[in-house]
């Protein structure tokens, strides 16, 4: 009896039916432009601005060095995410579901749960920053109502699924791109802004901290890039998925974060407020665009949260996933994330920086294992049917090699970690330059490849 999962052969243009199932070739409506538009528009939001403002506002770097650190971090981090994205057209399944091949049917659900928490965190964070954008223009507006309203918009988009999300992102990438471009040009013409950090001194600690933030910003996309590249026709190939993702992510991130650097220099306490303070009515319009676009963009974050929630449910509770399951999961997840945003409106910047730092340490080992397995060990050859088999098929329920490698990778980062609650013993000798991500990636990939080859050698001996 075949383990191949059932597929829906009818094409649905408006309401998504496939959820976590492989996308049939006749339903792959994605294009290079629609893919790039998703990643461009995803970064065109106030949360990206706030992240860029950390460089000049929190770390006190000069404007020039802030932009260099942002550029370097995004260029490095996006390379990993784009490699993950190249898997989508070939396999046709969500990114974290594919982790069943490296960690087992049940083992992968641990990482789907981690990714689920991450996306829920981003959904809540975007709601808070969207609310701040709106209140910067209309200070009397009820913040609770704003968050609930923006959350509802994201839920509605997510309920309809990929088709509506893709078309929305394509239009948004144009509208918000123009708004950000106008803001950038106007700010660069204001010497009272560009001279704000003229006396600031370069610091290795600040530079590498911002470099790490740029890397984790991009790697945060890794757990869901294939959620969208799986809609590209298989004939499009991995190169189109790679470059569409890479250029879209890097170009938009650096562009918007650079605006954040200027805003952070102008107003370190409230970077978004600097738009209205320095650009007047134009700045107010940009803030409104940011607020509305964030609500729309958030549908993408919720969509991937739901994909991971469904993966966990199918793996652990033998739930039969239907379109109805996806819709109700979307509503529940959206409501929970909105409640988190309502409760987390206080010291947002401190919480968000800590959130980004922890994400980096958790995602790095998973990314190293996934890329090593896909490109070196299996060279893209996976049994899709076995990935959906309740007993794990050829991949099993728990993969000790993958799980052990991940554990080693996490431990390897500990001596180098720099977080608000813990700093590793080797951080001070390295002048608090965060290299934990680099150590974690290299160690994890090396351990995984060694253990895979060792296991293969033992099997050969037993069979011989």
């Amino acid at each position: 009896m075949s383990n191949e999962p059932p597929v829906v052969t009818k094409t649905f243009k408006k309401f998504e039916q496939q959820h976590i199932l492989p996308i049939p070739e006749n339903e792959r409506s994605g294009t290079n432009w629609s893919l790039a538009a998703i990643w461009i528009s995803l970064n065109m939001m106030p949360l990206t601005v706030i992240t860029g403002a950390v460089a000049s506002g929190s770390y006190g770097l000069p404007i020039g060095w802030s932009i260099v650190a942002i550029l370097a971090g995004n260029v490095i981090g996006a390379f990993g995410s784009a490699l993950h994205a190249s898997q989508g057209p070939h396999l046709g399944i969500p990114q974290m579901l594919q982790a069943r091949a490296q960690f087992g049917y049940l083992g992968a659900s641990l990482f789907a749960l981690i990714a689920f928490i991450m996306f829920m965190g981003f959904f809540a964070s975007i709601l808070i920053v969207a609310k701040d954008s709106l209140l910067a223009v209309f200070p009397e507006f009820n913040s609770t109502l704003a968050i609930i309203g923006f959350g509802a918009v994201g839920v509605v988009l997510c309920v309809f699924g990929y088709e509506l999300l893709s078309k929305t992102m394509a239009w948004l990438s144009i509208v918000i791109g123009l708004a950000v471009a106008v803001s950038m040009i106007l700010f660069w013409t204001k010497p009272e802004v560009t001279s704000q950090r003229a006396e600031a001194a370069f610091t290795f600690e600040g530079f590498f901290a911002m470099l790490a933030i740029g890397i984790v910003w991009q790697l945060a996309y890794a757990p869901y890039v294939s959620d969208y590249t799986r809609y590209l026709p298989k004939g499009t190939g991995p190169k189109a998925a790679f470059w569409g993702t890479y250029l879209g992510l890097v170009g938009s991130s650096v562009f918007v974060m650079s605006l954040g650097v200027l805003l952070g220099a102008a107003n370190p306490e409230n970077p978004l407020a600097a738009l209205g303070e320095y650009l007047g009515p134009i700045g107010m319009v940009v803030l409104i665009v940011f607020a509305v676009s964030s609500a729309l963009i958030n549908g993408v974050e919720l969509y991937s949260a739901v994909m991971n929630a469904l993966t966990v449910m199918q793996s652990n509770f033998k739930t039969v996933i239907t379109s109805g399951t996806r819709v109700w999961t979307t509503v529940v997840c959206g409501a929970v994330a909105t409640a988190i945003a309502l409760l987390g409106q206080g010291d947002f910047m401190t919480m968000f920086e800590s959130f980004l730092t922890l994400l980096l340490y958790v995602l790095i080992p998973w990314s190293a294992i996934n890329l090593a397995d896909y490109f070196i060990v299996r060279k893209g050859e996976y049994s899709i049917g076995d990935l959906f088999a309740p007993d794990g098929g050829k991949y099993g329920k728990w993969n000790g090699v993958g799980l052990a490698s991940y554990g080693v990778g996490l431990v390897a980062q500990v001596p180098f970690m720099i977080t608000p609650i813990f700093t590793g013993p080797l951080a001070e000798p390295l002048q608090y330059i965060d290299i934990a991500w680099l150590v974690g990636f290299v160690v994890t990939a090396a351990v995984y490849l060694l253990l895979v080859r060792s296991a293969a050698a033992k099997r050969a001996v037993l069979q011989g």
Side-chain angles (χ1 to χ4, degrees):
M1 186 174 181
S2 175
N3 281 330
E4 291 295 328
V7 296
V8 179
T9 56
K10 183 180 178 181
T11 299
F12 290 81
K13 293 296 185 182
K14 301 298 181 183
F15 188 77
E16 181 177 336
Q17 301 291 310
Q18 295 296 355
H19 41 80
I20 61 174
L21 292 177
I23 306 301
E25 189 68 26
N26 69 318
E27 292 192 26
R28 296 194 180 191
S29 57
T31 64
N32 292 353
W33 161 242
S34 67
L35 177 64
I38 287 174
W39 307 127
I40 291 172
S41 56
L42 261 179
N43 283 307
M44 297 287 185
M45 59 179 176
L47 189 61
T48 318
V49 174
I50 293 295
T51 304
V54 170
S56 56
S58 298
Y59 293 126
L61 286 172
I63 289 176
W65 281 113
S66 296
I67 294 175
V68 171
I70 286 169
L71 176 63
N74 280 277
V75 165
I76 295 170
F79 187 77
S81 290
L83 285 174
H84 288 290
S86 68
Q87 302 168 13
H90 180 61
L91 300 177
I93 56 177
Q95 189 74 62
M96 296 309 291
L97 191 144
Q98 193 242 339
R100 290 173 176 173
Q102 295 100 46
F103 303 101
Y105 188 82
L106 293 177
S109 65
L110 297 175
F111 300 91
L113 180 61
I114 291 171
F116 168 76
I117 294 171
M118 181 189 79
F119 294 126
M120 293 286 278
F122 271 114
F123 186 90
S125 299
I126 291 171
L127 288 181
I128 293 173
V129 181
K131 175 264 301 180
D132 290 341
S133 298
L134 187 66
L135 264 60
V137 181
F138 305 108
E140 301 302 321
F141 200 89
N142 186 287
S143 61
T144 297
L145 184 61
I147 288 177
I148 293 174
F150 289 148
V153 172
V155 169
V156 170
L157 281 174
C158 186
V159 162
F160 280 92
Y162 172 81
E163 285 285 340
L164 184 58
L165 285 170
S166 177
K167 291 176 181 178
T168 303
M169 294 301 105
W171 283 106
L172 276 179
S173 63
I174 298 172
V175 175
I176 316 171
L178 289 173
V180 174
V182 169
S183 301
M184 284 281 289
I185 292 170
L186 292 177
F187 265 100
W188 277 114
T189 61
K190 293 184 177 295
E192 65 270 29
V193 173
T194 55
S195 63
Q196 285 286 344
R197 304 300 304 164
E199 77 292 347
F202 171 85
T203 65
F204 282 103
E205 179 184 350
F207 181 85
F208 282 96
M210 198 60 214
L211 175 79
I213 286 177
I215 291 171
V216 71
W217 180 266
Q218 294 297 342
L219 282 181
Y221 289 108
Y224 68 138
V225 282
S226 283
D227 293 2
Y228 299 95
T229 59
R230 66 184 175 138
Y231 283 93
L232 288 175
K234 185 174 284 191
T236 301
K239 287 185 178 179
F242 176 91
W243 288 112
T245 301
Y246 186 84
L247 295 176
L249 287 176
V250 173
S252 57
S253 298
V254 173
F255 188 44
V256 181
M257 286 186 187
S258 295
L259 173 61
V261 169
L262 296 174
L263 297 179
N267 188 341
E269 299 300 321
N270 190 349
L272 290 174
L275 279 167
E277 294 168 358
Y278 287 88
L279 301 187
I282 294 177
M284 296 296 185
V285 171
V286 173
L287 284 168
I288 294 173
V289 170
F290 269 148
V292 175
S293 64
S294 293
L296 299 173
I297 288 168
N298 233 359
V300 175
E301 303 289 350
L302 186 58
Y303 180 83
S304 289
V306 170
M307 292 298 104
N308 284 284
L310 295 177
T311 299
V312 173
M313 290 164 60
Q314 185 191 63
S315 300
N316 293 277
F317 306 107
K318 298 181 180 179
T319 304
V320 177
I321 307 300
T322 65
S323 294
T325 311
R326 183 184 71 82
V327 170
W328 281 112
T329 303
T330 297
V331 174
V332 171
C333 289
V336 171
T338 301
I340 293 172
L342 290 171
L343 296 172
Q345 299 180 61
D347 192 5
F348 171 72
M349 283 302 294
T350 300
M351 291 189 299
F352 183 62
E353 287 177 45
S354 301
F355 178 61
L356 284 176
T357 303
L358 291 174
L359 272 183
L360 178 62
Y361 300 139
V362 172
L363 287 176
I364 281 290
W366 162 80
S367 178
I369 291 170
N370 178 270
L371 295 178
D373 186 71
Y374 186 89
F375 290 101
I376 300 176
V377 177
R378 305 184 196 274
K379 296 179 173 60
E381 296 301 319
Y382 293 85
S383 170
I384 303 301
D386 285 326
L387 292 175
F388 287 87
D391 63 355
K394 64 190 291 187
Y395 305 113
K397 289 188 175 182
W398 299 92
N399 187 320
V401 169
L403 294 168
S405 301
Y406 182 84
V408 172
L410 277 183
V411 173
Q413 296 179 89
V414 172
F416 306 91
M417 285 183 176
I418 303 172
T419 73
I421 58 175
F422 172 79
T423 299
L426 295 181
E428 185 176 0
L430 291 171
Q431 296 183 317
Y432 295 98
I433 296 172
D434 192 347
I435 64 167
W437 59 272
L438 180 59
V439 174
F441 190 93
V442 173
V443 169
T444 305
V447 169
Y448 182 73
L449 292 174
L450 286 173
L451 291 180
V452 166
R453 289 171 183 172
S454 176
K458 288 180 180 179
R459 285 195 300 270
V461 170
L462 292 174
Q463 293 170 358

